[in-house]
């Protein structure tokens, strides 16, 4: 009798689907490489996915699931998707069909809840025979000629399924930092001898390591990641500039060195895969040390420019183990433009005039750095002009000399200063030699 009961219990478990879910929503994003479709679910579920041709379709079957509303999407972000519909091939299955413009390679996965999102089924569609990324790289490579432009890669943090921090008025970090990044690109592009590229141009997510790898593919001279900080205390405010910590650099050094034997990884344009362990280690160490030194210098320049514009969270450049700062051969900084958790700063983050002002300050810091340390073969190296710095509260002449890597004597001499006393608002000429 006991055995019969146990067997009946097991059969009941087998007969009952282990997972089912209700579909709560549907969203679509498109980036230069793929279209991402997301189904919002109320719980984790099993699913089956297959494709059909003539016409191209993706079919998603969800067991014991339900949908009580019409699925819609924004055409502007639809990419290869031209329609979505649902039905029931049998009484136990919800079927969702994505109609496609073109045949695509498919990748799908389930995500657990995070932030404002619950469970999600993600379907990525990669159009076959896409040449867009190759064209972009070809255009950027054309910039590498003699007297080329300095290339700045601008990374708007978060995006797509990752909204970042959210302000009290429901402002999303991913939206405001993209707006600031676009303003920064406009401002940099307007400067002679400088060109900017965006790692993302719309509301979609890019994995963290892929962000700085894009900068490397663009052969960028600088990588700038834009964010809007959040903190549990709403009164905390001010901008910040971060560079990679020594701990983060060490962990990335070990990862790169371990990977070099099994990959064609490039550091400073040199392939590590065909080098012995000692030589690869030396090349990587030299490249990473030079990159970190340059990162610190440009961070100091941008920090000084932001401090001249308004309040900074701290009185110095900060260090952190951010993944996006780990490029071994592209100087990289992360700018926290303001605290989205502070109601006053949340309003500023949404203000186009403030976005332009912040973009201008970051550009000034970047431009000052490149006029002090122009990459060989660039237009700036051949045509650079003197750098000017506006003194802000808390500055000392010695700190300014250290920031721009010039001697205190030469700084006094070009500005005809008899003492080290300087006044707030004064314009100092920074010597370039």
């Amino acid at each position: 009798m006991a055995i019969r009961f146990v067997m009946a219990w097991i059969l009941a478990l087998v007969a009952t689907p282990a997972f089912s879910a209700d579909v709560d929503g549907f969203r679509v994003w498109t980036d230069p490489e793929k279209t991402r479709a997301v189904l919002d679910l109320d719980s984790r579920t099993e699913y089956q996915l297959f494709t059909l041709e003539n016409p191209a379709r993706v079919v998603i079957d969800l067991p014991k699931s339900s949908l009580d509303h019409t699925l819609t999407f924004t055409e502007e972000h639809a990419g290869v998707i031209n329609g979505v519909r649902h039905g029931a091939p049998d009484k136990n299955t919800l079927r969702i069909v994505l109609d496609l413009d073109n045949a695509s390679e498919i990748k799908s996965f389930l995500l657990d809840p995070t932030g404002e999102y619950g469970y999600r089924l993600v379907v990525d569609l990669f159009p076959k025979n896409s040449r867009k990324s190759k064209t972009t790289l070809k255009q950027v490579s054309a910039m590498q000629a003699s007297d080329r432009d300095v290339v700045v890669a601008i990374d708007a943090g978060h995006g797509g399924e990752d909204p970042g921090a959210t302000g009290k008025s429901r402002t999303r970090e991913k939206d405001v930092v993209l707006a600031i990044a676009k303003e920064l690109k406009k401002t940099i592009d307007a400067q002679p001898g400088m060109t900017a590229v965006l790692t993302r141009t719309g509301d979609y997510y890019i994995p963290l390591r892929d962000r700085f790898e894009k900068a490397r593919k663009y052969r960028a001279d600088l990588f700038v990641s834009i964010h809007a900080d959040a903190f549990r205390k709403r009164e905390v405010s001010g901008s910040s500039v971060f560079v990679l910590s020594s701990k983060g650099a060490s962990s990335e050094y070990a990862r790169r060195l371990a990977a070099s034997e099994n990959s064609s990884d490039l550091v400073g344009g040199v392939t590590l895969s065909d080098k012995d362990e000692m030589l690869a280690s030396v090349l990587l160490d030299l490249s990473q040390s030079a990159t970190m030194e340059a990162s610190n210098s440009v961070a100091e320049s941008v920090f000084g420019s932001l401090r001249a514009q308004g309040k900074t969270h701290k009185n110095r450049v900060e260090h952190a183990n951010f993944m996006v700062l780990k490029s071994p051969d592209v100087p990289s900084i992360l700018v926290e433009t303001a605290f989205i958790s502070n109601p006053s700063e949340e309003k500023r983050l949404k203000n186009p005039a403030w976005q332009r002002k912040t973009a201008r300050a970051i550009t000034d810091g970047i431009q000052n750095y490149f006029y002090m340390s122009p990459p060989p073969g660039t237009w700036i190296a051949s045509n650079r002009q003197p750098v000017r710095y506006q003194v802000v509260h808390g500055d000392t002449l010695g700190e300014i000399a250290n920031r721009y890597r010039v001697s205190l004597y030469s700084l006094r001499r070009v500005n005809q200063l008899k003492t080290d006393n300087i006044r707030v608002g004064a314009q100092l000429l920074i010597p370039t030699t």
Side-chain angles (χ1 to χ4, degrees), residues 244 246-256 288 321 326:
L244 185 64
S246 56
K247 181 179 178 181
S250 298
S251 64
E252 182 65 11
Y253 176 89
R255 194 201 73 81
R256 290 271 172 184
Q288 193 171 48
N321 189 16
K326 288 189 173 184

Side-chain angles (χ1 to χ4, degrees), residues 260-296:
S260 67
E261 294 182 4
N262 302 309
S263 73
S264 57
D265 194 31
L266 293 172
V267 174
V270 177
T271 302
L272 296 181
S273 57
D274 59 351
K275 307 295 187 295
D276 64 44
E277 185 176 344
M278 179 61 73
L279 180 54
S281 177
V282 171
L283 290 172
L284 179 55
D285 184 51
L286 288 171
S287 178
Q288 193 171 48
S289 297
T291 299
M292 290 187 69
E293 182 180 353
S295 298
N296 280 304

Side-chain angles (χ1 to χ4, degrees), residues 267-333:
V267 174
V270 177
T271 302
L272 296 181
S273 57
D274 59 351
K275 307 295 187 295
D276 64 44
E277 185 176 344
M278 179 61 73
L279 180 54
S281 177
V282 171
L283 290 172
L284 179 55
D285 184 51
L286 288 171
S287 178
Q288 193 171 48
S289 297
T291 299
M292 290 187 69
E293 182 180 353
S295 298
N296 280 304
S297 295
V298 69
E300 290 286 355
S301 183
V302 171
F303 179 79
S305 185
L306 287 169
R307 190 166 64 167
Q309 173 191 278
K311 183 181 183 299
T312 53
H313 178 49
K314 292 188 177 179
N315 293 324
R316 63 183 184 278
V317 170
E318 300 178 66
H319 297 74
N321 189 16
F322 291 123
M323 173 62 73
V324 292
L325 298 178
K326 288 189 173 184
S327 175
D329 50 4
V330 180
S332 304
I333 66 172

Side-chain angles (χ1 to χ4, degrees), residues 51-57 85 99-103:
T51 60
L52 296 173
E53 298 180 352
N54 300 318
R57 287 154 288 165
R85 47 201 167 90
D99 296 312
L100 310 182
D101 287 329
N102 302 296

Side-chain angles (χ1 to χ4, degrees), residues 39 61 83 105 365 384 397:
L39 289 170
D61 284 345
E105 295 179 1
R384 58 179 168 163
L397 202 64

Side-chain angles (χ1 to χ4, degrees), residues 372 386-391 396-398 400-401 404 406-423 425-433:
M372 293 298 300
V387 174
R388 294 186 179 275
Y389 175 76
Q390 183 174 342
V391 178
T396 67
L397 202 64
I400 295 171
Y404 287 98
V406 298
S407 70
L408 191 56
Y409 168 78
S410 62
L411 190 57
R412 289 197 203 101
R413 180 175 56 81
V414 298
N415 290 282
Q416 299 180 347
L417 297 175
K418 295 181 179 179
T419 69
D420 289 352
N421 295 327
I422 50 177
R423 60 181 178 81
Q427 291 276 343
L428 293 180
L429 186 65
I430 307 297
T432 56
T433 56

Side-chain angles (χ1 to χ4, degrees), residues 118-148:
Y119 290 96
R120 288 147 292 157
L121 171 57
V122 178
V123 180
D124 285 339
L125 303 103
F126 299 85
K128 294 180 179 178
N129 302 320
S130 174
R131 297 183 179 181
K132 188 167 185 179
S133 59
K134 293 180 181 179
T135 302
T136 301
L137 287 176
K138 183 177 180 181
Q139 291 172 344
V140 173
S141 296
M143 300 175 190
Q144 307 300 318
S146 179
D147 278 359
R148 66 174 179 87

